Amino acid sequence: MTPRVSVVVATHDRPERLGRLLESLRGQTAPADAFEVVVVDDGSGPATTQALEGEVERGGLNLRVVRRAAAAGPSAARNEGWRAARAPLVAFVDDDCVATPAWLDAALATAAAAPGAIVQGRTLPEPGVAVGPFSRSLWVEAQGPYYQACNIVYPRELLDRLGGFDAEAFPFVGEDTDLAWRAFAAGADARFAPDALVHHAVVDLGPLGKLRMAARWTPSIRLFARHRALRAEHLTYGVFWKGSHYLLVRALVGLALRRRARPLALWLAAPYARHLLERGRTDGGGPLAAPFHAVHDVVELVAVARGAVRYRTPVV
């Protein structure tokens, strides 16, 4: 029988995380014959190969493995996965996620209610793991604007029509957002499925790792050059990539004016100071983390400005 949905997973050298994901897929409330799982091993080492061989032997999943000799990034791996899929719907989930038992049932119900639409699920950090100022995880609690491929379902026909992910322009970052906004430009619609929930891993990067990640956002600015609709929906005041960037620029202007117009300088800088204190409460670290958050924002702002110059689009 042809499954209703193909679950496509791109993986690279995370066998333990991948094992947790596959275990969660075995626990789906959806019938086992309703879905298949296609794992694309993107040039991983022997540990992943061995783990996947064990998963196939274990059974309990309609599991197929596609192996790539050399890593080419998630865009190319996902493309290979959906092209190998057999179902009319393709669900993408990342190898550092764990699906809740009703994930597929909820996604399929939403897809059935809106034929032809993209279905975006809800994503939260894995429960029971503390999230601190140096952590990386993912929160998706409403539809858009990035349409992350860690938890999303596409009609196979739409992927065929669009050619899938643009692996040449976005090999490692931004490929999922680009695909969604190309789909909208082609007339597609989207729905949000709050009960299609996956939990994303929480990884402690350390302060240097967090700053290195902030410096990696330059290529993603190509998204705003390519998709005017994304720019209109997402940017703060049509220019700022994040609200924190707007507050930071205000504070920097205030810093420049501190000797000439002290009251104006304080007025400009005060919102960013309050923002840093609030981040200390929400992201962890308290007031002592404020200097790190400020440095992080400066690094991120420089990366975005570099992208704005490279792709000739006004984003900071």
Side-chain angles (χ1 to χ4, degrees):
M1 294 177 60
T2 301
R4 295 175 63 192
V5 60
S6 298
V7 179
V8 171
V9 184
T11 191
H12 179 74
D13 282 334
R14 289 198 282 210
E16 292 183 6
R17 294 268 183 206
L18 178 62
R20 292 180 61 192
L21 169 63
L22 295 178
E23 182 63 23
S24 73
L25 295 180
R26 286 187 175 91
Q28 291 297 295
T29 55
D33 60 359
F35 68 99
E36 66 173 355
V37 181
V38 180
V39 175
V40 182
D41 180 359
D42 189 31
S44 300
T48 300
T49 300
Q50 183 176 0
L52 282 170
E53 289 173 352
E55 293 287 351
V56 172
E57 291 176 4
R58 180 182 173 188
L61 279 178
N62 183 1
L63 173 63
R64 286 186 292 141
V65 177
V66 178
R67 290 190 172 87
R68 298 173 59 89
S75 293
R78 292 192 188 111
N79 278 340
E80 192 155 346
W82 72 257
R83 288 180 178 128
R86 297 184 296 127
L89 293 172
V90 178
F92 295 102
V93 64
D94 282 352
D95 64 352
D96 55 355
C97 293
V98 171
T100 56
W103 172 60
L104 274 179
D105 267 339
L108 287 170
T110 302
I118 300 166
V119 176
Q120 183 180 25
R122 187 161 58 109
T123 303
L124 296 174
E126 58 183 311
V129 180
V131 178
F134 311 130
S135 298
R136 178 189 178 275
S137 191
L138 198 60
W139 290 257
V140 179
E141 300 184 76
Q143 184 175 316
Y146 292 120
Y147 298 94
Q148 292 92 334
C150 65
N151 183 8
I152 202 160
V153 179
Y154 277 85
R156 168 64 185 263
E157 178 276 331
L158 182 58
L159 291 171
D160 279 322
R161 184 151 44 100
L162 298 172
F165 299 93
D166 188 343
E168 183 175 345
F170 301 99
F172 293 100
V173 62
E175 75 287 346
D176 41 11
T177 307
D178 172 70
L179 177 60
W181 285 92
R182 283 193 287 120
F184 300 147
D189 198 4
R191 295 289 188 275
F192 188 68
D195 293 330
L197 172 64
V198 304
H199 289 117
H200 192 285
V202 178
V203 180
D204 186 0
L205 301 175
L208 292 180
K210 189 81 176 215
L211 293 178
R212 280 194 293 267
M213 176 160 285
R216 290 175 50 192
W217 291 116
T218 297
S220 68
I221 305 307
R222 189 171 188 171
L223 291 166
F224 299 103
R226 178 177 283 191
H227 303 290
R228 290 183 177 272
L230 172 62
R231 203 158 66 205
E233 176 173 321
H234 176 65
L235 296 181
T236 300
Y237 297 123
V239 175
F240 297 97
W241 189 50
K242 288 183 178 180
S244 58
H245 288 196
Y246 162 69
L247 297 177
L248 173 58
V249 170
R250 274 187 56 145
L252 292 174
V253 172
L255 183 64
L257 295 175
R258 69 188 185 281
R259 293 184 180 178
R260 297 182 180 180
R262 185 175 177 82
L264 177 60
L266 291 174
W267 177 79
L268 289 169
Y272 185 60
R274 289 195 295 269
H275 168 74
L276 290 177
L277 293 175
E278 178 63 23
R279 272 168 70 178
R281 285 191 289 269
T282 58
D283 296 353
L288 294 178
F292 172 79
H293 290 312
V295 172
H296 176 274
D297 286 349
V298 170
V299 172
E300 196 172 67
L301 186 70
V302 170
V304 171
R306 189 164 53 238
V309 172
R310 179 181 299 176
Y311 301 113
R312 299 179 182 179
T313 188
V315 182
V316 289

Short mmCIF file of all heavy atoms in Angstrom, two decimals, residues 159-214:
data_model
loop_
_atom_site.label_atom_id
_atom_site.label_comp_id
_atom_site.label_asym_id
_atom_site.label_seq_id
_atom_site.Cartn_x
_atom_site.Cartn_y
_atom_site.Cartn_z
N LEU A 159 6.28 20.15 -4.10
CA LEU A 159 7.73 20.01 -4.14
C LEU A 159 8.22 19.74 -5.56
O LEU A 159 9.23 20.30 -6.01
CB LEU A 159 8.18 18.87 -3.21
CG LEU A 159 8.00 19.12 -1.70
CD1 LEU A 159 8.25 17.84 -0.93
CD2 LEU A 159 8.91 20.24 -1.21
N ASP A 160 7.49 18.90 -6.27
CA ASP A 160 7.85 18.63 -7.67
C ASP A 160 7.79 19.91 -8.50
O ASP A 160 8.67 20.18 -9.32
CB ASP A 160 6.90 17.58 -8.27
CG ASP A 160 7.29 16.16 -7.90
OD1 ASP A 160 8.50 15.88 -7.86
OD2 ASP A 160 6.39 15.35 -7.65
N ARG A 161 6.74 20.69 -8.28
CA ARG A 161 6.54 21.90 -9.08
C ARG A 161 7.62 22.94 -8.80
O ARG A 161 8.08 23.64 -9.70
CB ARG A 161 5.15 22.46 -8.77
CG ARG A 161 4.75 23.66 -9.58
CD ARG A 161 3.22 23.72 -9.75
NE ARG A 161 2.48 23.43 -8.55
CZ ARG A 161 1.93 24.38 -7.77
NH1 ARG A 161 2.07 25.66 -8.06
NH2 ARG A 161 1.23 24.03 -6.71
N LEU A 162 8.05 23.03 -7.55
CA LEU A 162 9.05 24.03 -7.16
C LEU A 162 10.48 23.55 -7.34
O LEU A 162 11.42 24.36 -7.29
CB LEU A 162 8.84 24.43 -5.70
CG LEU A 162 7.50 25.09 -5.35
CD1 LEU A 162 7.37 25.25 -3.85
CD2 LEU A 162 7.38 26.44 -6.04
N GLY A 163 10.68 22.25 -7.51
CA GLY A 163 12.03 21.71 -7.59
C GLY A 163 12.68 21.49 -6.24
O GLY A 163 13.90 21.26 -6.15
N GLY A 164 11.91 21.58 -5.16
CA GLY A 164 12.43 21.35 -3.82
C GLY A 164 13.27 22.51 -3.32
O GLY A 164 13.11 23.67 -3.73
N PHE A 165 14.18 22.20 -2.41
CA PHE A 165 15.03 23.21 -1.79
C PHE A 165 16.08 23.71 -2.78
O PHE A 165 16.58 22.94 -3.60
CB PHE A 165 15.73 22.63 -0.56
CG PHE A 165 14.79 22.18 0.53
CD1 PHE A 165 14.36 20.85 0.57
CD2 PHE A 165 14.32 23.05 1.48
CE1 PHE A 165 13.48 20.42 1.56
CE2 PHE A 165 13.45 22.63 2.48
CZ PHE A 165 13.02 21.32 2.52
N ASP A 166 16.41 24.98 -2.68
CA ASP A 166 17.45 25.56 -3.53
C ASP A 166 18.80 25.30 -2.85
O ASP A 166 19.31 26.13 -2.10
CB ASP A 166 17.21 27.05 -3.73
CG ASP A 166 18.15 27.67 -4.75
OD1 ASP A 166 19.18 27.04 -5.07
OD2 ASP A 166 17.88 28.80 -5.21
N ALA A 167 19.37 24.14 -3.12
CA ALA A 167 20.60 23.73 -2.44
C ALA A 167 21.81 24.54 -2.89
O ALA A 167 22.82 24.59 -2.18
CB ALA A 167 20.86 22.24 -2.69
N GLU A 168 21.74 25.16 -4.04
CA GLU A 168 22.86 25.96 -4.52
C GLU A 168 22.91 27.31 -3.82
O GLU A 168 23.97 27.74 -3.37
CB GLU A 168 22.76 26.16 -6.03
CG GLU A 168 23.94 26.92 -6.62
CD GLU A 168 23.88 27.01 -8.13
OE1 GLU A 168 23.10 26.26 -8.75
OE2 GLU A 168 24.62 27.84 -8.69
N ALA A 169 21.77 27.98 -3.69
CA ALA A 169 21.74 29.30 -3.06
C ALA A 169 21.75 29.20 -1.54
O ALA A 169 22.32 30.06 -0.86
CB ALA A 169 20.51 30.08 -3.52
N PHE A 170 21.12 28.14 -0.98
CA PHE A 170 20.99 28.01 0.47
C PHE A 170 21.38 26.59 0.89
O PHE A 170 20.53 25.78 1.24
CB PHE A 170 19.56 28.30 0.91
CG PHE A 170 19.06 29.67 0.54
CD1 PHE A 170 18.26 29.84 -0.58
CD2 PHE A 170 19.39 30.78 1.31
CE1 PHE A 170 17.79 31.10 -0.92
CE2 PHE A 170 18.92 32.04 0.97
CZ PHE A 170 18.13 32.21 -0.15
N PRO A 171 22.67 26.26 0.88
CA PRO A 171 23.07 24.89 1.22
C PRO A 171 22.91 24.54 2.69
O PRO A 171 22.65 23.38 3.03
CB PRO A 171 24.54 24.84 0.80
CG PRO A 171 25.00 26.26 0.83
CD PRO A 171 23.82 27.08 0.46
N PHE A 172 23.06 25.54 3.59
CA PHE A 172 23.07 25.22 5.01
C PHE A 172 22.10 26.05 5.85
O PHE A 172 21.76 25.63 6.94
CB PHE A 172 24.49 25.41 5.58
CG PHE A 172 25.49 24.43 5.06
CD1 PHE A 172 26.37 24.79 4.05
CD2 PHE A 172 25.53 23.14 5.54
CE1 PHE A 172 27.29 23.88 3.55
CE2 PHE A 172 26.44 22.22 5.05
CZ PHE A 172 27.32 22.59 4.05
N VAL A 173 21.68 27.21 5.40
CA VAL A 173 20.81 28.05 6.21
C VAL A 173 19.84 28.79 5.30
O VAL A 173 20.22 29.25 4.22
CB VAL A 173 21.64 29.04 7.06
CG1 VAL A 173 22.44 30.00 6.19
CG2 VAL A 173 20.75 29.84 8.02
N GLY A 174 18.58 28.89 5.72
CA GLY A 174 17.59 29.64 4.98
C GLY A 174 16.86 28.88 3.91
O GLY A 174 15.92 29.39 3.30
N GLU A 175 17.25 27.62 3.66
CA GLU A 175 16.66 26.86 2.56
C GLU A 175 15.18 26.58 2.78
O GLU A 175 14.37 26.57 1.84
CB GLU A 175 17.42 25.55 2.34
CG GLU A 175 17.19 24.45 3.35
CD GLU A 175 17.82 24.68 4.71
OE1 GLU A 175 18.67 25.58 4.83
OE2 GLU A 175 17.46 23.95 5.65
N ASP A 176 14.79 26.36 4.04
CA ASP A 176 13.39 26.04 4.34
C ASP A 176 12.51 27.28 4.17
O ASP A 176 11.40 27.20 3.62
CB ASP A 176 13.25 25.44 5.74
CG ASP A 176 14.12 26.13 6.79
OD1 ASP A 176 14.70 27.20 6.49
OD2 ASP A 176 14.23 25.59 7.90
N THR A 177 13.01 28.43 4.62
CA THR A 177 12.26 29.68 4.46
C THR A 177 12.10 30.03 2.99
O THR A 177 11.02 30.43 2.53
CB THR A 177 12.96 30.82 5.20
OG1 THR A 177 13.20 30.42 6.56
CG2 THR A 177 12.14 32.09 5.18
N ASP A 178 13.16 29.88 2.23
CA ASP A 178 13.10 30.17 0.80
C ASP A 178 12.08 29.29 0.11
O ASP A 178 11.30 29.76 -0.73
CB ASP A 178 14.49 29.96 0.19
CG ASP A 178 14.47 30.05 -1.33
OD1 ASP A 178 14.26 31.16 -1.86
OD2 ASP A 178 14.63 29.00 -1.98
N LEU A 179 12.06 28.00 0.44
CA LEU A 179 11.11 27.08 -0.19
C LEU A 179 9.67 27.51 0.09
O LEU A 179 8.83 27.55 -0.82
CB LEU A 179 11.34 25.66 0.32
CG LEU A 179 10.38 24.59 -0.19
CD1 LEU A 179 10.43 24.47 -1.70
CD2 LEU A 179 10.66 23.25 0.48
N ALA A 180 9.38 27.86 1.33
CA ALA A 180 8.01 28.24 1.68
C ALA A 180 7.57 29.49 0.94
O ALA A 180 6.45 29.55 0.40
CB ALA A 180 7.91 28.45 3.19
N TRP A 181 8.43 30.50 0.87
CA TRP A 181 8.02 31.75 0.24
C TRP A 181 7.98 31.62 -1.28
O TRP A 181 7.20 32.32 -1.94
CB TRP A 181 8.91 32.89 0.72
CG TRP A 181 8.53 33.26 2.12
CD1 TRP A 181 9.07 32.77 3.28
CD2 TRP A 181 7.49 34.15 2.52
NE1 TRP A 181 8.44 33.29 4.38
CE2 TRP A 181 7.47 34.16 3.94
CE3 TRP A 181 6.59 34.95 1.83
CZ2 TRP A 181 6.57 34.93 4.66
CZ3 TRP A 181 5.69 35.72 2.57
CH2 TRP A 181 5.68 35.71 3.95
N ARG A 182 8.76 30.72 -1.85
CA ARG A 182 8.59 30.42 -3.28
C ARG A 182 7.24 29.73 -3.51
O ARG A 182 6.57 29.96 -4.52
CB ARG A 182 9.73 29.53 -3.79
CG ARG A 182 11.03 30.29 -4.02
CD ARG A 182 12.03 29.46 -4.81
NE ARG A 182 12.62 28.40 -4.03
CZ ARG A 182 12.54 27.11 -4.31
NH1 ARG A 182 11.87 26.70 -5.38
NH2 ARG A 182 13.13 26.20 -3.54
N ALA A 183 6.84 28.89 -2.56
CA ALA A 183 5.55 28.22 -2.66
C ALA A 183 4.41 29.24 -2.60
O ALA A 183 3.44 29.15 -3.37
CB ALA A 183 5.40 27.20 -1.54
N PHE A 184 4.51 30.20 -1.72
CA PHE A 184 3.46 31.22 -1.62
C PHE A 184 3.39 32.06 -2.90
O PHE A 184 2.31 32.40 -3.37
CB PHE A 184 3.70 32.11 -0.41
CG PHE A 184 3.69 31.37 0.90
CD1 PHE A 184 4.50 31.78 1.95
CD2 PHE A 184 2.89 30.25 1.09
CE1 PHE A 184 4.52 31.10 3.15
CE2 PHE A 184 2.90 29.57 2.29
CZ PHE A 184 3.71 29.99 3.33
N ALA A 185 4.55 32.37 -3.45
CA ALA A 185 4.57 33.13 -4.70
C ALA A 185 3.93 32.34 -5.84
O ALA A 185 3.40 32.92 -6.79
CB ALA A 185 6.01 33.50 -5.07
N ALA A 186 3.96 31.00 -5.72
CA ALA A 186 3.35 30.14 -6.74
C ALA A 186 1.88 29.86 -6.46
O ALA A 186 1.25 29.08 -7.17
CB ALA A 186 4.12 28.82 -6.82
N GLY A 187 1.33 30.48 -5.41
CA GLY A 187 -0.10 30.35 -5.12
C GLY A 187 -0.45 29.38 -4.02
O GLY A 187 -1.64 29.14 -3.77
N ALA A 188 0.53 28.81 -3.33
CA ALA A 188 0.24 27.85 -2.26
C ALA A 188 -0.24 28.57 -1.00
O ALA A 188 -0.04 29.78 -0.83
CB ALA A 188 1.49 27.03 -1.94
N ASP A 189 -0.87 27.80 -0.13
CA ASP A 189 -1.37 28.32 1.15
C ASP A 189 -0.72 27.52 2.26
O ASP A 189 -0.06 26.50 2.02
CB ASP A 189 -2.89 28.18 1.20
CG ASP A 189 -3.51 29.05 2.27
OD1 ASP A 189 -2.77 29.82 2.92
OD2 ASP A 189 -4.73 28.96 2.46
N ALA A 190 -0.88 27.97 3.50
CA ALA A 190 -0.30 27.28 4.65
C ALA A 190 -1.30 27.25 5.79
O ALA A 190 -2.17 28.13 5.91
CB ALA A 190 0.99 27.95 5.09
N ARG A 191 -1.18 26.23 6.64
CA ARG A 191 -1.99 26.09 7.84
C ARG A 191 -1.07 25.75 9.01
O ARG A 191 -0.02 25.10 8.83
CB ARG A 191 -3.03 24.99 7.68
CG ARG A 191 -4.08 25.25 6.63
CD ARG A 191 -5.05 26.34 7.06
NE ARG A 191 -6.16 26.46 6.12
CZ ARG A 191 -6.13 27.18 5.01
NH1 ARG A 191 -5.01 27.83 4.68
NH2 ARG A 191 -7.18 27.24 4.22
N PHE A 192 -1.47 26.16 10.20
CA PHE A 192 -0.70 25.84 11.41
C PHE A 192 -1.43 24.76 12.18
O PHE A 192 -2.65 24.82 12.37
CB PHE A 192 -0.53 27.08 12.27
CG PHE A 192 0.42 26.88 13.43
CD1 PHE A 192 1.77 26.69 13.20
CD2 PHE A 192 -0.05 26.86 14.73
CE1 PHE A 192 2.65 26.50 14.26
CE2 PHE A 192 0.83 26.67 15.80
CZ PHE A 192 2.18 26.49 15.56
N ALA A 193 -0.68 23.75 12.62
CA ALA A 193 -1.25 22.62 13.36
C ALA A 193 -0.62 22.58 14.75
O ALA A 193 0.45 21.97 14.93
CB ALA A 193 -1.00 21.31 12.61
N PRO A 194 -1.23 23.22 15.74
CA PRO A 194 -0.60 23.30 17.07
C PRO A 194 -0.41 21.95 17.74
O PRO A 194 0.47 21.80 18.59
CB PRO A 194 -1.56 24.20 17.85
CG PRO A 194 -2.85 24.14 17.11
CD PRO A 194 -2.51 23.94 15.68
N ASP A 195 -1.24 20.97 17.39
CA ASP A 195 -1.11 19.66 18.03
C ASP A 195 -0.06 18.78 17.35
O ASP A 195 0.26 17.70 17.86
CB ASP A 195 -2.46 18.94 18.03
CG ASP A 195 -3.47 19.64 18.93
OD1 ASP A 195 -3.05 20.25 19.92
OD2 ASP A 195 -4.68 19.60 18.61
N ALA A 196 0.44 19.21 16.21
CA ALA A 196 1.54 18.49 15.55
C ALA A 196 2.85 18.96 16.17
O ALA A 196 3.61 19.74 15.58
CB ALA A 196 1.50 18.74 14.05
N LEU A 197 3.12 18.47 17.35
CA LEU A 197 4.19 19.01 18.20
C LEU A 197 5.43 18.12 18.16
O LEU A 197 5.35 16.90 18.32
CB LEU A 197 3.69 19.14 19.64
CG LEU A 197 4.72 19.49 20.72
CD1 LEU A 197 5.30 20.89 20.49
CD2 LEU A 197 4.08 19.40 22.10
N VAL A 198 6.59 18.75 17.96
CA VAL A 198 7.87 18.08 18.16
C VAL A 198 8.68 18.89 19.16
O VAL A 198 8.50 20.10 19.30
CB VAL A 198 8.67 17.90 16.86
CG1 VAL A 198 7.87 17.16 15.80
CG2 VAL A 198 9.16 19.22 16.32
N HIS A 199 9.56 18.21 19.85
CA HIS A 199 10.47 18.86 20.79
C HIS A 199 11.87 18.91 20.21
O HIS A 199 12.38 17.88 19.75
CB HIS A 199 10.49 18.12 22.13
CG HIS A 199 9.22 18.28 22.91
ND1 HIS A 199 8.40 17.23 23.23
CD2 HIS A 199 8.61 19.39 23.42
CE1 HIS A 199 7.36 17.66 23.91
NE2 HIS A 199 7.47 18.97 24.03
N HIS A 200 12.45 20.08 20.20
CA HIS A 200 13.79 20.29 19.64
C HIS A 200 14.83 20.20 20.74
O HIS A 200 14.62 20.64 21.87
CB HIS A 200 13.84 21.68 18.98
CG HIS A 200 15.04 21.92 18.12
ND1 HIS A 200 16.29 22.17 18.64
CD2 HIS A 200 15.18 21.95 16.78
CE1 HIS A 200 17.14 22.34 17.65
NE2 HIS A 200 16.50 22.21 16.51
N ALA A 201 15.98 19.63 20.42
CA ALA A 201 17.06 19.49 21.39
C ALA A 201 17.51 20.85 21.91
O ALA A 201 17.47 21.85 21.20
CB ALA A 201 18.24 18.76 20.76
N VAL A 202 17.95 20.86 23.15
CA VAL A 202 18.57 22.04 23.75
C VAL A 202 20.07 21.75 23.87
O VAL A 202 20.48 20.81 24.53
CB VAL A 202 17.99 22.35 25.14
CG1 VAL A 202 18.69 23.56 25.76
CG2 VAL A 202 16.49 22.59 25.04
N VAL A 203 20.88 22.56 23.18
CA VAL A 203 22.32 22.34 23.14
C VAL A 203 23.02 23.54 23.78
O VAL A 203 22.74 24.69 23.44
CB VAL A 203 22.81 22.18 21.69
CG1 VAL A 203 24.32 21.94 21.66
CG2 VAL A 203 22.07 21.03 21.01
N ASP A 204 23.92 23.27 24.72
CA ASP A 204 24.70 24.33 25.34
C ASP A 204 25.94 24.59 24.49
O ASP A 204 26.86 23.78 24.45
CB ASP A 204 25.11 23.92 26.76
CG ASP A 204 25.81 25.05 27.52
OD1 ASP A 204 25.97 26.15 26.93
OD2 ASP A 204 26.19 24.84 28.68
N LEU A 205 25.94 25.71 23.79
CA LEU A 205 27.05 26.04 22.88
C LEU A 205 28.22 26.70 23.59
O LEU A 205 29.31 26.75 23.04
CB LEU A 205 26.54 26.98 21.78
CG LEU A 205 25.41 26.48 20.90
CD1 LEU A 205 24.96 27.59 19.96
CD2 LEU A 205 25.84 25.26 20.12
N GLY A 206 27.99 27.21 24.80
CA GLY A 206 29.02 28.01 25.45
C GLY A 206 29.04 29.41 24.85
O GLY A 206 28.48 29.65 23.77
N PRO A 207 29.67 30.37 25.52
CA PRO A 207 29.65 31.76 25.02
C PRO A 207 30.29 31.91 23.64
O PRO A 207 29.74 32.61 22.78
CB PRO A 207 30.41 32.55 26.09
CG PRO A 207 31.14 31.53 26.90
CD PRO A 207 30.35 30.27 26.82
N LEU A 208 31.43 31.27 23.38
CA LEU A 208 32.07 31.41 22.08
C LEU A 208 31.25 30.75 20.98
O LEU A 208 31.13 31.28 19.87
CB LEU A 208 33.48 30.83 22.12
CG LEU A 208 34.50 31.58 22.98
CD1 LEU A 208 35.86 30.89 22.95
CD2 LEU A 208 34.63 33.03 22.52
N GLY A 209 30.68 29.60 21.28
CA GLY A 209 29.85 28.93 20.29
C GLY A 209 28.62 29.75 19.94
O GLY A 209 28.20 29.81 18.78
N LYS A 210 28.03 30.39 20.94
CA LYS A 210 26.86 31.22 20.68
C LYS A 210 27.23 32.42 19.81
O LYS A 210 26.46 32.81 18.91
CB LYS A 210 26.28 31.69 22.01
CG LYS A 210 24.94 32.38 21.90
CD LYS A 210 23.80 31.41 21.81
CE LYS A 210 22.48 32.15 21.79
NZ LYS A 210 21.42 31.47 22.47
N LEU A 211 28.40 33.01 20.04
CA LEU A 211 28.84 34.13 19.22
C LEU A 211 29.18 33.69 17.80
O LEU A 211 28.90 34.41 16.83
CB LEU A 211 30.04 34.81 19.87
CG LEU A 211 29.77 35.53 21.19
CD1 LEU A 211 31.06 36.11 21.75
CD2 LEU A 211 28.71 36.61 21.03
N ARG A 212 29.77 32.50 17.68
CA ARG A 212 30.06 31.98 16.32
C ARG A 212 28.76 31.77 15.55
O ARG A 212 28.70 32.05 14.34
CB ARG A 212 30.84 30.67 16.42
CG ARG A 212 32.34 30.86 16.67
CD ARG A 212 33.10 29.58 16.41
NE ARG A 212 32.77 28.55 17.37
CZ ARG A 212 33.45 28.33 18.49
NH1 ARG A 212 34.51 29.08 18.79
NH2 ARG A 212 33.10 27.36 19.32
N MET A 213 27.72 31.31 16.23
CA MET A 213 26.45 31.13 15.54
C MET A 213 25.87 32.47 15.12
O MET A 213 25.30 32.60 14.02
CB MET A 213 25.47 30.40 16.46
CG MET A 213 24.10 30.26 15.87
SD MET A 213 23.13 28.95 16.64
CE MET A 213 23.91 27.51 15.91
N ALA A 214 26.00 33.49 15.96
CA ALA A 214 25.50 34.82 15.60
C ALA A 214 26.20 35.36 14.37
O ALA A 214 25.61 36.11 13.59
CB ALA A 214 25.70 35.77 16.78
#
